[in-house]
Amino acid sequence: MSVPPPPDPIAGARLLFSLDPAVSHLNHGSFGAVPIVAQRAQQRLRDEMEADPLRFFTQGLVDRVAHARRHLAGFLGADPDGAALTTNATTGVAVVLQSLGLRPGDEVLTTDHGYGAVEFSVHRECRRTGATHRVLPVPLAATAEEIVQLVRSGLRPGRTRLLVVDQLTSATAKLFPVAAIVGVAREHGVSVLVDAAHAPGMLPATVRSIGADFWVGNLHKWGYAPRGTAILAVAPQWRERIEPLVVSWEQEAGFPGRLEWQATADYTPWLSAPVGLYTLRTLGVDQVRAHNAALAAYGQRVLGDALGVPPADLPAPGGPSVAMRIVPLPAGLASTVDAARALQTRIAERLATQVAITSWNGRGWLRLCGQVYNSAEEYDRLAVRLPALLDQR
């Protein structure tokens, strides 16, 4: 079966970024890429801060942060008064975990697709409080209906205190039916934290439509914001219980101010984040989503063909707007975290190509992304050169 043609490029999009043209950047999902216009906006804010630090931090900064939050929350379909800016999704998860008041006998349930740093955070909070952590296996090929049923069967009413579930998984690029999962958990009296690290800018679902107790997503990936920009949305019944990891001068202001104000933190990513969203809107949100998803699908097929993976064995797309795909690596390659990291470094150094190599359930996977600054030729070039590199193991 022939590989379907790639999407037409979005004219001029590559020029909006300052990425090294000698490198193929096929891993947008890890650290994103900031448009030049947002970089310059942030630099102007840094210049303002350094010109008069006392004025910058003490005259109107709280209001400026709130204004940026309202703008970003509106884009995500979140309540601006029920959302707080934070540095990344992992930080938001840690805030929720330490605010819950877990006790011995409580259980935190995650899936085996969860992000590694989030798993570490759950482990730590359970050790600290005496709660337990249980992992629910979800097959890679599970349908949305099957996932919901697995979650339903896995909940332990009266014991499961929190379910942590990814909206789009990092390791496996799998889309979870989070709104349906939230509905099932609510029937059983279980709170839900949605780790939506990859959702803002890529996926169309709004925070309100999902209805989770807690939802946290990064804007510095697919929302083109400077790094260190994320939003934690909290349901009304939880807001006054949310405590920051570090207490500072806005503590008595309540949520969200007590979470956002962290003394001499660098607030310039948050203040310039609306410029990143402006870039996305200028290109056309729907057009960007469709382009990126189609390009990632093209790259998956090209790489799969080069590695001898039949199309039927390539993991099915998570949905029409998912711009990340995975390709199974030959058996024995990248089967551990350390081996995956080593292979990712080799590909970067020898092939001048940035991809993500992950180890999931004892199998190595290559994750690639599609973004407006990418071209079909970059995936074609990797497909030609990668098999020989893998044979050198």
Side-chain angles (χ1 to χ4, degrees):
M1 187 180 296
S2 62
V3 177
D8 293 332
I10 297 178
R14 177 64 181 83
L15 300 177
L16 300 176
F17 298 84
S18 57
L19 294 164
D20 183 354
V23 177
S24 292
H25 303 272
L26 307 183
N27 186 20
H28 185 88
S30 284
F31 296 101
V34 184
I36 294 171
V37 64
Q39 295 180 40
R40 290 175 176 170
Q42 184 180 16
Q43 187 57 53
R44 287 193 295 270
L45 287 162
R46 286 174 173 154
D47 292 342
E48 177 190 346
M49 176 172 59
E50 297 306 331
D52 193 339
L54 188 63
R55 175 173 179 160
F56 181 85
F57 281 98
T58 63
Q59 297 185 26
L61 181 55
V62 171
D63 290 338
R64 294 172 76 177
V65 168
H67 178 75
R69 183 213 320 133
R70 286 191 290 269
H71 184 99
L72 301 176
F75 174 78
L76 298 172
D79 178 2
D81 296 323
L85 288 166
T86 187
T87 52
N88 52 46
T90 308
T91 301
V93 170
V95 166
V96 171
L97 287 170
Q98 64 93 39
S99 298
L100 282 176
L102 294 171
R103 301 183 302 270
D106 289 340
E107 174 185 85
V108 178
L109 180 63
T110 63
T111 78
D112 60 349
H113 295 255
Y115 188 59
V118 169
E119 296 293 299
F120 289 149
S121 190
V122 172
H123 287 323
R124 185 186 70 172
E125 193 63 19
C126 287
R127 285 197 307 268
R128 190 180 71 83
T129 62
T132 58
H133 175 210
R134 185 162 56 93
V135 179
L136 181 67
V138 176
L140 185 61
T143 65
E145 293 76 14
E146 289 169 342
I147 294 173
V148 171
Q149 185 54 45
L150 284 168
V151 170
R152 188 190 303 274
S153 302
L155 296 173
R156 296 175 179 175
R159 183 171 180 182
T160 306
R161 184 79 183 282
L162 180 71
L163 168 63
V164 183
V165 62
D166 295 68
Q167 189 167 349
L168 178 65
T169 67
S170 176
T172 56
K174 186 169 183 61
L175 189 68
F176 273 58
V178 286
I181 289 172
V182 168
V184 167
R186 183 173 292 117
E187 293 173 4
H188 292 77
V190 176
S191 300
V192 180
L193 165 58
V194 174
D195 179 354
H198 291 277
M202 188 206 295
L203 302 178
T206 64
V207 174
R208 288 191 185 91
S209 69
I210 294 169
D213 298 83
F214 314 99
W215 180 101
V216 60
N218 295 322
L219 283 126
H220 54 243
K221 293 180 183 286
W222 305 90
Y224 296 159
R227 290 168 200 89
T229 305
I231 276 192
L232 171 63
V234 179
Q237 67 270 24
W238 288 101
R239 291 171 190 171
E240 289 310 308
R241 297 177 59 178
I242 294 295
E243 292 285 347
L245 299 177
V246 178
V247 174
S248 193
W249 284 102
E250 289 294 308
Q251 179 66 15
E252 298 304 313
F255 184 85
R258 65 164 53 135
L259 194 64
E260 292 175 335
W261 186 260
Q262 291 292 298
T264 51
D266 183 2
Y267 299 93
T268 62
W270 299 353
L271 299 180
S272 50
V275 179
L277 282 186
Y278 173 80
T279 304
L280 179 59
R281 285 177 164 135
T282 300
L283 292 172
V285 177
D286 292 340
Q287 182 181 4
V288 168
R289 285 173 175 162
H291 170 273
N292 292 349
L295 192 56
Y298 172 82
Q300 182 193 42
R301 286 291 301 275
V302 168
L303 265 294
D305 187 57
L307 298 179
V309 181
D313 292 340
L314 292 172
S321 296
V322 173
M324 299 195 305
R325 298 292 182 97
I326 57 173
V327 178
L329 293 172
L333 275 181
S335 57
T336 67
V337 172
D338 288 342
R341 289 172 177 168
L343 178 57
Q344 181 171 315
T345 299
R346 285 178 59 209
I347 293 172
E349 292 177 347
R350 300 189 185 186
L351 304 185
T353 301
Q354 296 290 357
V355 295
I357 303 295
T358 62
S359 175
W360 184 75
N361 280 3
R363 178 73 186 264
W365 301 84
L366 183 150
R367 191 194 74 188
L368 50 81
C369 302
Q371 190 48 263
V372 296
Y373 51 72
N374 293 130
S375 66
E377 290 74 20
E378 293 176 300
Y379 305 91
D380 296 339
R381 187 163 56 246
L382 178 61
V384 169
R385 302 175 66 193
L386 182 61
L389 183 143
L390 297 183
D391 287 341
Q392 295 171 8
R393 58 179 169 166

